Amino acid sequence: MDLKDMLWEETEDGIVTVTFNRPDELNPITVDGLAEINAAIDEVRQNDRYRVLIFTGAGRAFSAGADVKKFDEGTFREEGELPLFFRLNKHPDFVPNLESLLKPVIAAVNGVAVGEGLELALASDFRIVSERAKMGFPEARIGLIPASGGCSRIVKQLGIMRAKELYLGGEIVTAEEAHAVGLATKVVPH
């Protein structure tokens, strides 16, 4: 599969690994990246030889979330309104697409996973997290909330009080803290 911002690897036994591959920028998710994520999910869905999908990141980050430098590019907005980066008619939301995949999805979180990067991890079946990982929703720091259903997803997974702490406080937690509250399935050596 030909991807621009990501690498596609597959094994003979049907394991596909998609690696976010803009390590110098902490693997941000762009509008084009959303299309690539959806294309990768669709390819795994449609091909019976693929049995497992793994997402990970190159370098020191899983994904630092939305590419805020490009918020204005490719968005539809009214004069005076903030752009709605992830509410684009031409790019369906990847989260329901990922959650409806009837094959196991693993987020191999190798480092920073925040914002939209954490949303992708939360939509995965398992979050295997490096001991160096840091996770959270910093959107509150810029007056936003998680854009792809992260608020309701994290409430279902962690409970209302802990979820509010994370997404309203903009708190970033360590791998061990993430595991203690149920944000990570397992913590492993880097």
Side-chain angles (χ1 to χ4, degrees):
M1 176 166 219
D2 187 31
L3 301 171
K4 180 183 164 205
D5 287 347
M6 298 167 216
L7 301 174
W8 171 280
E9 297 175 66
E10 57 186 78
T11 64
E12 288 182 19
D13 57 348
I15 298 171
V16 172
T17 302
V18 174
T19 304
F20 300 115
N21 193 33
R22 290 175 57 202
D24 293 344
E25 302 171 65
L26 300 180
N27 303 317
I29 297 174
T30 63
V31 173
D32 291 338
L34 289 174
E36 289 189 3
I37 291 168
N38 275 317
I41 295 166
D42 291 343
E43 179 67 22
V44 170
R45 179 187 322 281
Q46 295 165 7
N47 195 319
D48 289 339
R49 83 171 182 261
Y50 301 138
R51 301 180 311 116
V52 176
L53 175 58
I54 300 171
F55 284 100
T56 194
R60 60 189 180 99
F62 178 76
S63 174
D67 191 345
V68 293
K69 293 180 208 165
K70 296 189 176 187
F71 258 25
D72 285 327
E73 292 180 21
T75 60
F76 304 104
R77 68 182 195 155
E78 296 292 325
E79 180 81 332
E81 281 187 314
L82 290 173
L84 299 174
F85 186 74
F86 290 101
R87 300 292 184 226
L88 305 176
N89 294 328
K90 65 181 185 176
H91 295 293
D93 192 351
F94 70 87
V95 174
N97 195 17
L98 184 61
E99 288 178 325
S100 68
L101 183 62
L102 297 178
K103 298 175 183 181
V105 179
I106 299 169
V109 180
N110 57 304
V112 174
V114 295
E116 203 68 19
L118 180 54
E119 297 223 32
L120 185 139
L122 286 172
S124 300
D125 297 304
F126 303 98
R127 291 173 297 279
I128 310 300
V129 177
S130 159
E131 63 195 356
R132 296 183 190 171
K134 297 199 182 299
M135 304 170 85
F137 287 121
E139 287 91 336
R141 297 176 188 173
I142 58 171
L144 299 174
I145 62 169
S148 296
C151 294
S152 62
R153 191 167 291 101
I154 199 167
V155 166
K156 290 176 189 171
Q157 293 183 22
L158 305 185
I160 189 90
M161 296 308 289
R162 188 61 180 133
K164 282 182 179 181
E165 265 187 303
L166 287 172
Y167 72 77
L168 292 177
E171 182 181 356
I172 307 296
V173 297
T174 66
E176 290 300 329
E177 292 168 324
H179 186 257
V181 299
L183 197 55
T185 309
K186 183 177 187 178
V187 177
V188 297
H190 188 71

